[in-house]
Amino acid sequence: MRVVDLDRDMNDVIPTGTTRDSQYLFDRMTAETLALAGGGPGRRILDVAAGFGQDAVALVETGASVVACEPSARMTAWAQLVASKREGPRPLWLRGWSDALPFRSGSFDAALCKGAIDHFDRPEIAIEEMARVTRPEGRVVLSIANFESLACRLARAQDSLREGIPGASARRGRRHYDVPADHFTRYDLGLMRAQASRFLDLEVVRGISLGWGVPVWSRGVGKLPGAVARGALQALDSLARRAPEWADVIVLAGRPRRSARTAR
Ligand SMILES: C[S@@+](CC[C@H](N)C(=O)[O-])C[C@H]1O[C@@H](n2cnc3c(N)ncnc32)[C@H](O)[C@@H]1O
């Protein structure tokens, strides 16, 4: 039986803006993904699993024409409602699954998928589809949470140590290194590379943010003066950029490879 996600909302997603390091991670992930997709007048861009549509709207504001493709009726309705309150051009909203994108081959200059591929039940077909609908010299951009990040490893090790101490209380609830219930795949750098490079000639493999969710770091950076905190977050971010296997999020971008399917 195919299990799908038509009624989802954002309850299982990391809450944005609750801590400084969360906000930084989300802002950087968005900025990097959109920059690699490349907005601008005349560009045709597809946002796959567009969710609430905030990225599609940001790209439309650059002058690009954008299709926001999303299967959830609830999220699409919300995205349309919010976008209807603003002036100017809007994305084209379309309900559709990532593994059967309703577009001709080569229709877009770029296709992006941010923070969503781990929700897909057929992620490899989704990447193949993104490659198919992107023109040969265009770009596919994927940004994905890394569940083998340095932060996940440290937090896991810290919890195991704590659980080994006689009398210490066990941690309760989902930890940030636990894969949420609505994810189908637990990604790390190796798996991302392996799946993406089947369908893309990878040009960019980049890490974003380091240390997100490690309790002592999250609390500490929240208490620092603003400029110092920003400097510290940026310093770790530039380390992550060069060491994506440690990063909290990984962004991959590449040109479509021609395969029997993508050439259709
Ligand atoms: C965490 S949200 C990310 C939304 C958006 N890209 C963002 O960055 O805010 C994951 C999205 O994937 C969508 N989704 C889940 N399974 C899907 C599938 N098989 N094909 C396309 N979208 C899917 C969900 O409906 C949801 O909108």
Side-chain angles (χ1 to χ4, degrees):
M1 185 180 68
R2 189 177 185 200
V3 182
V4 292
D5 195 10
L6 275 177
D7 238 4
R8 65 159 288 119
D9 49 30
M10 289 300 232
N11 287 342
D12 275 327
V13 178
I14 303 159
T16 55
T18 49
T19 60
R20 232 179 216 162
D21 60 336
S22 292
Q23 189 64 56
Y24 184 84
L25 168 63
F26 274 83
D27 289 351
R28 284 281 302 118
M29 181 178 182
T30 302
E32 197 77 31
T33 307
L34 299 194
L36 285 167
R43 297 268 297 162
R44 294 160 306 154
I45 302 181
L46 172 66
D47 185 358
V48 175
F52 292 133
Q54 72 287 347
D55 299 328
V57 167
L59 285 167
V60 153
E61 282 171 352
T62 69
S65 54
V66 182
V67 178
C69 194
E70 162 63 47
S72 160
R74 190 187 294 185
M75 295 185 88
T76 305
W78 178 262
Q80 284 175 307
L81 181 70
V82 173
S84 70
K85 293 182 181 155
R86 53 180 292 285
E87 300 283 309
R90 294 175 195 159
L92 174 66
W93 308 103
L94 214 92
R95 287 189 64 203
W97 294 105
S98 53
D99 48 83
L101 293 171
F103 309 104
R104 288 209 192 105
S105 301
S107 302
F108 295 95
D109 297 306
L112 69 100
C113 179
K114 186 185 123 230
I117 200 157
D118 36 18
H119 293 257
F120 300 172
D121 54 332
R122 299 174 188 170
E124 287 186 275
I125 300 180
I127 303 170
E128 188 172 20
E129 275 290 88
M130 292 176 75
R132 179 184 67 76
V133 302
T134 302
R135 67 178 171 83
E137 295 308 311
R139 179 173 263 181
V140 174
V141 185
L142 308 169
S143 42
I144 313 172
N146 176 17
F147 280 87
E148 278 302 325
S149 66
L150 185 63
C152 285
R153 294 181 206 201
L154 285 175
R156 255 196 318 263
Q158 191 184 340
D159 284 354
S160 318
L161 273 176
R162 192 189 157 95
E163 279 157 21
I165 300 172
S169 58
R171 294 268 185 205
R172 290 179 192 280
R174 184 168 81 80
R175 310 286 286 141
H176 81 288
Y177 53 75
D178 293 327
V179 177
D182 61 353
H183 283 205
F184 278 87
T185 311
R186 180 186 183 282
Y187 278 101
D188 60 21
L189 178 62
L191 184 58
M192 287 177 209
R193 261 188 194 284
Q195 289 191 351
S197 55
R198 281 189 61 199
F199 309 106
L200 306 174
D201 284 323
L202 287 175
E203 300 162 314
V204 175
V205 179
R206 204 172 273 167
I208 291 178
S209 160
L210 197 71
W212 176 80
V214 175
V216 65
W217 169 241
S218 291
R219 279 196 301 274
V221 82
K223 287 181 188 151
L224 291 172
V228 180
R230 181 144 195 94
L233 288 162
Q234 283 170 342
L236 288 188
D237 190 39
S238 65
L239 272 179
R241 192 179 176 90
R242 277 167 275 150
E245 68 275 22
W246 287 355
D248 300 320
V249 164
I250 299 172
V251 183
L252 303 99
R255 277 198 311 270
R257 271 178 196 272
R258 292 293 96 181
S259 71
R261 190 180 163 107
T262 57
R264 272 209 315 249

